[in-house]
Amino acid sequence: ITWDSKNWLYWILLFILQDFFYYLIHVLEHRCRFFWAVHNIHHSSEFFNFTTALRSSVFQPIYKFPFYIPLVLLGFKGIDIMLVYALGQTYGFFVHSSWFKRWKWVEWVMVTPSHHRVHHAKEPEYIDKNMSMVLIIWDKLFGIFTPENTHKPISFGITKPLEQDNPFKVVFHEWFNIWKDVKHASTWKERWMYIFGPPGWQPTHELETTEEQTASIILYKNDSR
């Protein structure tokens, strides 16, 4: 496909598609334990400000770029993809703020600090919600949007705080947890699921009922976020 980068439609389409592919990456980071082991560093801060926006793992760039290959195959220029991605990340930096409350009509389309506070909150009703970067429409489309309850204070970080601020432990603590689970796994399927399954996955034979397994996953997420 050949596009004319001087056409305004080119940039609008690139912006929308880039934001959608970022959304897919972000969902994967929350739904697959392997990627959550990298991404949880961003959520481990108990503060919500601009420094939180910069709190990211050095390993993220390794697996992010393949998600944008479809944009290249669709004919978008690599330099233009990087430019739009940088603009999206810049916008995402500024939504890490506790200064602003609600932005009324803007919240129908765009991610706001209120939306992103929900995403970083450790209250059970907020976990894995509002994963969009610029356009909040993706969360509304896929049913994981949750508005902020302004009458209830929000606490940030992971619900089981790290016991020490050693940078090495902050970066690798979830990898250590994965290794412990893999060592105790009895089958290769279990080993695979401990690494690439959803955070909190447990073999069903260790639980008596489906309800118990669901409760176990919720408990794990509450303990690791």
Side-chain angles (χ1 to χ4, degrees), residues 59-98:
F59 297 112
Q60 282 187 322
I62 297 175
Y63 64 77
K64 279 191 172 182
F65 76 90
F67 284 83
Y68 295 102
I69 292 177
L71 293 179
V72 177
L73 298 178
L74 286 173
F76 294 101
K77 297 178 182 178
I79 189 67
D80 296 339
I81 297 171
M82 289 188 286
L83 173 61
V84 173
Y85 176 84
L87 292 174
Q89 293 295 304
T90 301
Y91 181 85
F93 173 85
F94 287 104
V95 298
H96 289 80
S97 172
S98 297

Side-chain angles (χ1 to χ4, degrees), residues 6-72:
K6 296 180 180 180
N7 189 326
W8 59 269
L9 184 61
Y10 170 92
W11 292 100
I12 292 177
L13 187 57
L14 176 56
F15 165 74
I16 294 174
L17 289 176
Q18 186 280 142
D19 195 55
F20 175 66
F21 282 119
Y22 173 86
Y23 177 79
L24 295 181
I25 296 171
H26 200 184
V27 170
L28 179 65
E29 289 174 327
H30 282 258
R31 302 290 172 81
C32 174
R33 192 180 183 189
F34 179 86
F35 295 100
W36 171 247
V38 178
H39 183 61
N40 83 91
I41 299 167
H42 180 61
H43 285 264
S44 62
S45 173
E46 296 184 351
F47 301 95
F48 189 74
N49 51 39
F50 294 153
T51 66
T52 308
L54 301 174
R55 190 184 179 98
S56 297
S57 172
V58 295
F59 297 112
Q60 282 187 322
I62 297 175
Y63 64 77
K64 279 191 172 182
F65 76 90
F67 284 83
Y68 295 102
I69 292 177
L71 293 179
V72 177

Side-chain angles (χ1 to χ4, degrees), residues 158-172:
I158 53 180
T159 57
K160 186 178 181 181
L162 299 177
E163 296 180 355
Q164 52 184 310
D165 56 4
N166 181 305
F168 183 82
K169 291 291 182 66
V170 171
V171 173
F172 292 104

